[in-house]
Amino acid sequence: MSFLAIDGAATQFIGNVALQQLMRGGVASSTNNGSAALIGAVGTCVATIPSSLIMNYFTPPRFKTNDRPWYVSAFTSFLNVTLAGATGCTVLLHYGVNVGGMDIRYATQAAALGGIVMAPLVKPVSRWQIRCFELAAENIKRFMAYLQPWLE
């Protein structure tokens, strides 16, 4: 989970820096880079599990191993970080955390831009993430089998 947080923080940070440079400081809803990294870290931790489970459900069986084409991994990573930007900002604003004036729309835009920059780097990360979720699914199945006698 910490690796996912680092990935999300880096992506949101890069997207925030790039978006500030593209808009040349005329953005009222931008934030400092530390707050952007916090949004990315929180959002990635919250958004990765449901989006990975959905992706695993809808991915054709031939791509469920670690040999997904790079463009599938890059696209799913882009969608995940975009969702993570919106999710992280929403969660932090809901709990009253000061995110330096960033709103959900800007956080989503920064995450999407960071995702475009980071997408070509995603294939090794994607293989590792897939294996982690496979192990988690196996452990959940074992745990549910262990609980089965008490649930009846």
Side-chain angles (χ1 to χ4, degrees), residues 14-15 18 112-121:
I14 290 169
L113 187 56
I116 290 170
V117 173
M118 295 287 283
L121 308 173

Side-chain angles (χ1 to χ4, degrees), residues 59-107:
T59 301
R62 65 176 186 222
F63 292 146
K64 286 198 178 182
T65 60
N66 291 342
D67 60 348
R68 280 193 212 173
W70 70 268
Y71 54 86
V72 172
S73 297
F75 184 70
T76 56
S77 175
F78 169 75
L79 289 178
N80 188 44
V81 297
T82 303
L83 175 65
T87 305
C89 191
T90 302
V91 167
L92 292 173
L93 288 174
H94 176 75
Y95 286 103
V97 177
N98 180 10
V99 291
M102 185 179 270
D103 62 3
I104 296 168
R105 184 176 139 214
Y106 183 87

Side-chain angles (χ1 to χ4, degrees), residues 49-61 64 68:
I49 293 173
S51 65
S52 295
L53 292 174
I54 291 168
M55 181 61 193
N56 192 35
Y57 181 76
F58 287 110
T59 301
K64 286 198 178 182
R68 280 193 212 173

Side-chain angles (χ1 to χ4, degrees), residues 113-142:
L113 187 56
I116 290 170
V117 173
M118 295 287 283
L121 308 173
V122 79
K123 187 162 176 70
V125 173
S126 178
R127 288 182 176 177
W128 179 83
Q129 288 172 336
I130 290 169
R131 184 63 189 140
C132 285
F133 287 115
E134 287 172 352
L135 291 173
E138 291 171 13
N139 287 331
I140 290 170
K141 286 178 186 174
R142 276 191 241 135

